[in-house]
Amino acid sequence: MAVCLVTGATGYIGGRLVPELLAGGHDVRCMVRSPARLRDLPWASRTEIVTADALDADATRAALEGVEVAYYLIHSMDTGDGFAASDRAAASTFAAAAEAAAVRRIVYLGGLCAGEDLSPHLRSRAEVARIFLGGQVPAIVLRAAVIIGSGSASFEILRHLTERLPVMTTPRWVHSRTQPIAVRDVLRYLRAWASVPGEIDRAFDIGGPDVLTYADMMRGYAAAAGLPRRLIIPVPLLSPWLSSHWVGLVTPVPAAIARPLVESLRNETVCREHDIAAYVPDPPGGLIRFPRAVALALQKIKEADVATRWSSASLPGAPSDPLPTDPDWAGGSLYVDSRTLICDVPADALWRVIEGIGGENGWYSLPVAWRLRGALDRIMGGVGLRRGRRDPRRLRVGDSVDFWRVEELEPGRLLRLRAEMRLPGLAWLELSVHDEGDRTVYEQRAIFHPHGLLGHLYWWALTPFHSLIFGRMPGGIVASSRLP
């Protein structure tokens, strides 16, 4: 059994790979920038967690000490001019650190692509692959196209476009051919390379048995989900930028994440070889076909058994600063809206409502106003309210809750959410419960750290709106906690 390091353990694939490696008997070390986000995961106590950024050579070198197989699952989803340079620098730093630490193998999950006219993100994935393959440490590069699994960004786009639009006018990329692969097969390939012997140093194309267009996948999803056949009318006018905003409005996936995915769809992504079968044989029943992959994903969603989601990873441009506990931290103003309500509801009943906030349960005050705020956020390219929750009843640090992220959780006492909506500043919502004998105290704080003059204007302009929203929340939460 090998000592494995997994980067990107807070992301969609990494969060699923770690328990697979543990089940295979491997020792696992997770390299993350925010260890707190792994704290509440059921497998976290069985791993070693180290703090490091792939751009920090010394920290990365220390994290790789004693590691045999290193999984590189870091992908930038930014759309700014500097993302490719950042990807290049991180991969180069990691490759050099792996060589210095005498790592036996690097495993990288990249993008399936061919030709010269690649999207910027596919081009960056290909460059990262070349860096690892050109290094001194033997590297396995697995090149995948669309990954079909409950919670993946690609699957969420496919699912919501198909479910919400029985008739679609779509860009030309819906007729680009691709070779989707089930997330179970991706994880099987990744897990296997912790044990395959030899110094193999090459890239492998990985894909499922079916070669489909995106239109085929939408029709296939409709059939698997029991929906009527979808009518798809392609139009030539939707650019990737317009397409990403269109996807951002229809699906829970914000435009910032949709854009690199949509841009990549203009390229044909079909496997040119299946050489990996010589090292990792196909399972007895063969690779999972597209209809089966969709059915498995839908079953997971139905059972609320989605281990990781695309929203597990930080969103491009989302704030990652810790909660300011002292106003001096802000170097200026911190705006705080505080509310307290004393009630006779048992603390545990009140906590159940707090931990279940958001998603289908809503926010217990003026639903129309919350929906309006979510719609405005989506128009501005944010996540809005459609992201929902991973689990309808339980939360853990790092979970997304609509346009919030769980930053701190003390079961039965404190829930702190950090805003990931588009804002001219940083914002938090803190809900807490205190049991004082024959009464329970509910406390609520909305905190805003403005950025520049626009941030100050934003707070003051929305103060009446905040008073309505936040002012009604305590009463709504307490009233709901009285229900059986």
Side-chain angles (χ1 to χ4, degrees):
M1 296 298 103
V3 177
C4 302
L5 178 131
V6 178
T7 65
T10 58
Y12 177 71
I13 294 293
R16 294 183 175 217
L17 177 61
V18 171
E20 293 279 336
L21 293 172
L22 290 170
H26 302 288
D27 294 327
V28 179
R29 182 182 300 166
C30 298
M31 177 179 133
V32 293
R33 290 182 296 180
S34 302
R37 292 183 57 189
L38 298 181
R39 187 185 68 193
D40 297 327
L41 295 175
W43 44 258
S45 62
R46 299 165 56 200
T47 68
E48 180 186 357
I49 300 173
V50 297
T51 304
D53 188 312
L55 292 169
D56 185 330
D58 292 337
T60 301
R61 167 69 174 80
L64 287 165
E65 188 64 40
V67 168
E68 298 170 77
V69 179
Y71 287 90
Y72 192 82
L73 304 174
I74 299 172
H75 296 303
S76 170
M77 294 301 287
D78 284 338
T79 54
D81 295 335
F83 84 89
S86 179
D87 278 354
R88 185 186 313 119
S92 299
T93 299
F94 193 86
E99 179 183 354
V103 171
R104 177 169 61 86
R105 173 179 293 156
I106 294 173
V107 182
Y108 170 58
L109 178 62
L112 183 59
C113 52
E116 298 297 325
D117 184 28
L118 299 179
S119 72
H121 278 263
L122 280 180
R123 191 161 56 246
S124 179
R125 302 293 183 262
E127 183 179 21
V128 169
R130 287 193 296 271
I131 289 170
F132 288 134
L133 292 171
Q136 296 302 307
V137 177
I140 299 298
V141 174
L142 303 180
R143 298 185 294 216
V146 176
I147 296 176
I148 302 297
S150 54
S152 82
S154 297
F155 181 74
E156 288 297 310
I157 290 174
L158 174 68
R159 179 164 77 97
H160 285 85
L161 285 179
T162 308
E163 289 183 352
R164 294 174 176 171
L165 298 175
V167 179
M168 286 174 271
T169 54
T170 57
R172 285 179 295 181
W173 50 254
V174 299
H175 291 301
S176 298
R177 295 196 312 155
T178 188
Q179 196 161 345
I181 182 170
V183 67
R184 294 190 184 197
D185 284 329
V186 173
L187 293 171
R188 187 176 60 85
Y189 283 134
L190 288 167
R191 181 183 65 240
W193 285 104
S195 304
V196 174
E199 292 192 0
I200 304 140
D201 187 29
R202 60 159 293 181
F204 295 95
D205 292 350
I206 60 171
D210 303 297
V211 176
L212 306 167
T213 66
Y214 205 85
D216 292 333
M217 290 196 293
M218 288 191 281
R219 295 188 182 104
Y221 177 91
L227 301 172
R229 182 178 175 84
R230 271 27 192 168
L231 178 61
I232 299 170
I233 306 169
V235 295
L237 303 177
L238 288 178
S239 67
W241 183 85
L242 286 173
S243 295
S244 65
H245 282 276
W246 169 66
V247 169
L249 287 172
V250 175
T251 80
V253 181
I257 288 180
R259 182 172 181 180
L261 296 175
V262 167
E263 286 177 335
S264 300
L265 290 172
R266 76 171 191 240
N267 297 108
E268 183 171 280
T269 50
V270 177
C271 296
R272 291 154 294 180
E273 43 83 10
H274 189 52
D275 297 349
I276 195 170
Y279 303 93
V280 185
D282 292 350
L287 298 172
I288 299 172
R289 301 204 62 179
F290 177 78
R292 175 64 176 158
V294 171
L296 288 169
L298 289 175
Q299 184 64 25
K300 286 288 188 182
I301 293 169
K302 181 179 179 181
E303 296 172 355
D305 184 25
V306 181
T308 58
R309 305 171 75 232
W310 61 270
S311 55
S312 300
S314 296
L315 296 173
S320 58
D321 305 70
L323 179 74
T325 56
D326 185 339
D328 291 337
W329 172 89
S333 301
L334 267 187
Y335 294 113
V336 180
D337 181 294
S338 295
R339 312 276 171 170
T340 300
L341 183 60
I342 299 173
C343 61
D344 58 359
V345 176
D348 58 347
L350 194 56
W351 177 255
R352 281 195 297 272
V353 175
I354 291 173
E355 192 173 6
I357 202 166
E360 294 296 324
N361 295 324
W363 294 88
Y364 303 102
S365 69
L366 294 177
V368 172
W370 280 95
R371 287 195 292 270
L372 176 61
R373 184 64 184 88
L376 289 173
D377 190 55
R378 294 188 68 79
I379 290 171
M380 296 170 64
V383 296
L385 294 177
R386 294 181 184 171
R387 192 166 59 170
R389 295 169 51 109
R390 175 191 56 84
D391 183 289
R393 295 178 298 277
R394 297 287 179 263
L395 290 176
R396 62 194 185 199
V397 171
D399 273 357
S400 60
V401 182
D402 294 330
F403 45 40
W404 304 90
R405 174 86 57 185
V406 178
E407 183 170 86
E408 184 56 70
L409 181 69
E410 297 178 20
R413 200 191 78 80
L414 171 70
L415 171 63
R416 182 185 299 145
L417 303 171
R418 187 185 72 242
E420 290 190 337
M421 64 193 82
R422 298 290 182 176
L423 291 171
L426 304 174
W428 295 263
L429 179 61
E430 189 175 271
L431 313 177
S432 62
V433 177
H434 305 283
D435 189 348
E436 295 188 356
D438 60 347
R439 62 181 191 171
T440 301
V441 179
Y442 169 84
E443 293 185 342
Q444 172 185 300
R445 292 200 308 160
I447 305 166
F448 183 66
H449 169 45
H451 285 172
L453 178 60
L454 184 59
H456 293 275
L457 293 175
Y458 169 86
W459 177 265
W460 288 111
L462 293 184
T463 293
F465 178 83
H466 289 156
S467 296
L468 287 172
I469 288 286
F470 297 131
R472 296 192 181 196
M473 277 185 68
I477 288 173
V478 169
S480 183
S481 67
R482 296 184 191 277
L483 300 176

